[in-house]
């Protein structure tokens, strides 16, 4: 699940997954963080999801994927587009 909250300076993007989507730790990785696992790790929430908020520049296109424990890659079905390299958001 993705939520976008725009301000004049940036977009607060909430990346979220159900706890059951993948066991163990999950990071959102993408061109905005050099595809580095652990930089933006999803945290457990009381509503049964895991999420993290990342502030990104307005007007950008970002590519991302979720990386779960054991090297399991997940794409977000709510992304604006998908291709062989992952999910895309148009901010």
């Amino acid at each position: 699940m993705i939520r976008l909250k725009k301000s004049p300076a940036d977009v607060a993007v909430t990346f979220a997954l159900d706890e059951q989507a993948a066991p163990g730790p999950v990071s959102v990785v993408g061109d905005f963080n050099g595809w580095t696992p652990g930089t933006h790790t999803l945290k457990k929430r009381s509503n049964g999801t895991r999420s993290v908020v990342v502030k990104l520049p307005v007007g950008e296109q970002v590519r991302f994927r979720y990386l779960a424990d054991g090297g399991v890659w997940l794409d977000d079905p709510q992304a604006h587009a998908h291709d062989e390299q992952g999910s895309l958001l148009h901010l």
Side-chain angles (χ1 to χ4, degrees):
M1 170 176 40
I2 299 170
R3 288 189 307 271
L4 305 176
K5 185 176 180 183
K6 292 185 179 185
S7 75
D10 57 29
V11 180
V13 182
T14 302
F15 296 95
L17 289 174
D18 287 332
E19 279 189 62
Q20 295 78 23
V26 177
S27 295
V28 62
V29 295
D31 49 16
F32 53 87
N33 65 10
W35 295 89
T36 306
T39 302
H40 296 101
T41 302
L42 281 67
K43 306 288 184 205
K44 289 185 182 184
R45 307 297 177 200
S46 61
N47 65 359
T49 65
R50 293 179 279 185
S51 66
V52 66
V53 177
V54 180
K55 290 191 176 186
L56 300 170
V58 172
E60 295 289 316
Q61 174 177 288
V62 295
R63 183 178 308 280
F64 73 96
R65 296 187 87 186
Y66 299 105
L67 180 58
D69 204 27
V72 176
W73 291 98
L74 304 165
D75 290 315
D76 196 310
Q78 291 186 334
H80 298 140
H82 299 88
D83 63 19
E84 65 281 350
Q85 297 176 345
S87 303
L88 293 167
L89 285 178
H90 306 285
L91 306 173

